[in-house]
Amino acid sequence: MATYNKRGYKAPKEKEEKLDSNFIEETPNIEDKNSATARAFDSLDETASKTEDWIARNQKYILGVLAVAAFVTIGYLLYQRFVAEPKEQTATDDLFVAQQNFQLAVDGTVAKTQDSLFNLVLKGSEGKQGAIGIANQYSGTDSGNIANYYAGISYLNLKKYDDAIKYLEKFSSKDAFLRAIATGAIGDCYSQKNDMQKALDLYVKAAGMNDNELTAPRYLMKAGQTAMLMGKKADAVKYFTEIKEKYDTTPEGQNIDALIGMAQ
C-alpha cells in the first residue's frame, strides 16, 4: 500500500542521546527472597543474634571470668613488686656470705679447715642464713635455687651423701656447664654409696651435657674407671677412647693409652 506524505509534514528528527561523561554504575535491584547474597546475610544475622543471646544468657559468667583474670594479673604484678622482689633481695644478701665461705672452702686458702667452712656454708655466719635456710625459705627464687647447689656440694665434701643428693637434685640451671657438674656430683655420691650402676649412668649423662675440655673428659674418665670396677671392659674402652680421640690434650688424655691397654 502506497504511503503519501502530507504537505508541510516533516518527519520528526530523532532525539539525540546525550552521553553523560560521568559514568555511574547503578546498583542492581536484588530480590531478597531469591538472592544467595541476601540469604548469606540473613544467615549471618541469625548467627550473630544467637551469639548475642548466648552472651546475654551467660553475661554474669563471662564477667566473672574476666574479673578473675584481671584479679590474677593484678595480683601477680603486686606479688612481683611487693613480695617476690624484696624476697629475692633478702635471699641474695644472705647467699652472698654463704658464697664467700664456699669459695674459701674450695680454694683452701685460709687457716680454717674445709669441713668447718662447708659447715658455715650450710648453717650460715655473720648473722646471715646458710645455704640450707636459703634453699628452704626462698625456694622458687634464683637465690634459693643456687643455694641448693652450694648445699649439695658442701654435703658431698662432708661425706653426707644422701643430703647431698637431696639438694643437688633440686638444683636446676640453664647453664649446661653447671648442670654437668651437679649431675656428676650426684654420680660421685652414688659411687661413694657403692651404687656403681647409678654412678656410671650419671657420669655418662654428665659427660654428654656440655662438650668442653673440662667437664666432658672428667666425667668420661670417671665413667671409664667405674665401668672397669664393674668389669665392663668394653664400655671402659669406649669411654677412654672417646677421651683419646676428642680430648687428648687435657689432663685426662695424658695417660689414656695406658688405661685403654688395661681395659682391653
Side-chain angles (χ1 to χ4, degrees), residues 14-256:
E14 294 183 2
K15 293 183 180 180
E16 294 182 1
E17 293 183 0
K18 293 183 180 180
L19 297 178
D20 189 350
S21 59
N22 297 320
F23 180 80
I24 300 175
E25 182 178 8
E26 295 182 357
T27 304
N29 185 25
I30 300 175
E31 293 291 339
D32 288 345
K33 293 183 179 179
N34 299 322
S35 168
T37 304
R39 288 196 300 273
F41 278 107
D42 287 342
S43 177
L44 288 174
D45 289 340
E46 184 180 352
T47 301
S49 179
K50 289 181 179 178
T51 302
E52 291 169 0
D53 290 343
W54 184 88
I55 292 174
R57 288 197 307 272
N58 296 278
Q59 188 172 7
K60 287 186 178 180
Y61 175 77
I62 294 169
L63 291 176
V65 171
L66 292 174
V68 170
F71 179 79
V72 169
T73 301
I74 294 170
Y76 174 78
L77 293 174
L78 291 174
Y79 174 82
Q80 289 294 114
R81 178 68 180 83
F82 296 105
V83 179
E85 290 179 9
K87 186 178 180 182
E88 182 70 55
Q89 185 59 52
T90 303
T92 301
D93 292 342
D94 287 353
L95 185 65
F96 179 73
V97 175
Q99 187 176 26
Q100 285 184 316
N101 287 325
F102 184 85
Q103 193 62 51
L104 290 172
V106 173
D107 292 343
T109 56
V110 295
K112 290 183 179 179
T113 64
Q114 280 190 319
D115 284 2
S116 64
L117 286 168
F118 280 125
N119 274 307
L120 289 178
V121 173
L122 293 169
K123 298 177 182 178
S125 63
E126 301 178 27
K128 301 294 184 181
Q129 289 192 91
I132 298 173
I134 297 169
N136 294 337
Q137 183 174 349
Y138 301 107
S139 60
T141 68
D142 291 338
S143 296
N145 181 49
I146 296 171
N148 284 318
Y149 175 81
Y150 288 140
I153 298 298
S154 296
Y155 273 127
L156 172 59
N157 282 276
L158 293 170
K159 299 179 174 55
K160 296 182 178 181
Y161 304 118
D162 289 331
D163 290 328
I165 292 170
K166 171 186 170 183
Y167 283 98
L168 286 170
E169 286 183 340
K170 291 180 181 178
F171 173 70
S172 63
S173 175
K174 294 180 180 178
D175 188 299
F177 182 83
L178 279 178
R179 285 205 312 272
I181 293 176
T183 301
I186 298 173
D188 290 338
C189 292
Y190 280 106
S191 177
Q192 293 299 320
K193 287 164 58 71
N194 291 316
D195 190 341
M196 293 303 178
Q197 184 58 58
K198 187 71 172 178
L200 176 59
D201 293 340
L202 288 163
Y203 289 145
V204 173
K205 182 179 179 180
M209 282 183 167
N210 196 359
D211 186 10
N212 62 71
E213 294 193 347
L214 180 62
T215 60
R218 173 183 175 82
Y219 295 118
L220 282 171
M221 175 65 76
K222 290 194 174 191
Q225 292 170 333
T226 303
M228 285 276 288
L229 289 173
M230 297 174 68
K232 297 183 176 183
K233 292 188 174 182
D235 289 339
V237 169
K238 180 177 68 174
Y239 303 134
F240 292 148
T241 300
E242 186 172 351
I243 294 173
K244 178 180 175 63
E245 292 176 348
K246 297 175 64 176
Y247 310 105
D248 60 316
T249 60
T250 64
E252 290 81 6
Q254 298 305 303
N255 299 310
I256 201 66

